[in-house]
Amino acid sequence: MNAKTILIVDDSFSLRQTISIALKAAGYEVVEAVDGRDALNKLDGRKYNLIISDVNMPNLDGLSFVREAKQNPSYKFTPVLMLTTESGDARKQEGKAIGVRAWVHKPFLPPVLLDAVAKLVTP
């Protein structure tokens, strides 16, 4: 069985590393992007079973990235999990409207993230 592939989008190297280590240890393949622009470039036809994105990033923020990613027919139905330090409902409503399926607040414990990932990863 092929490993599920997850795209991680976050401008923090240390956070990408933490997420990547946790996901790889759980058996997932990982592709990393440093911001929304970089992530759009990585939406090159590869199958992603889940996208994990930060909200606040330079160049292209998480919600703008998701909005653009969902315009691509190949990724229209790819589940998205947002990582955020924000707890405001307005951003969550905006995210939900564009297809964000779940939110995990920073700082988080890897088991919490992995539990959310397991519920969202598409077959």
Side-chain angles (χ1 to χ4, degrees), residues 3-4 14 26 30 34 49-50 54 57 66 68 74-75 105 111:
K4 307 286 188 219
S14 58
V30 173
V34 298
N49 302 92
L50 177 67
D54 186 13
M57 296 180 287
V66 171
E68 287 196 41
S74 300
Y75 303 100
H105 290 274

Side-chain angles (χ1 to χ4, degrees), residues 28-82:
Y28 296 103
E29 300 258 331
V30 173
V31 175
E32 296 182 25
V34 298
D35 60 36
R37 279 269 163 260
D38 187 31
L40 285 176
N41 291 332
K42 297 200 164 133
L43 298 182
D44 53 11
R46 277 181 276 194
K47 166 113 174 97
Y48 292 111
N49 302 92
L50 177 67
I51 295 170
I52 298 175
S53 178
D54 186 13
V55 174
N56 298 310
M57 296 180 287
N59 302 321
L60 188 66
D61 70 87
L63 293 175
S64 299
F65 158 67
V66 171
R67 206 173 281 115
E68 287 196 41
K70 294 290 185 179
Q71 300 300 313
N72 182 326
S74 300
Y75 303 100
K76 187 172 175 60
F77 299 108
T78 304
V80 177
L81 183 153
M82 299 302 285

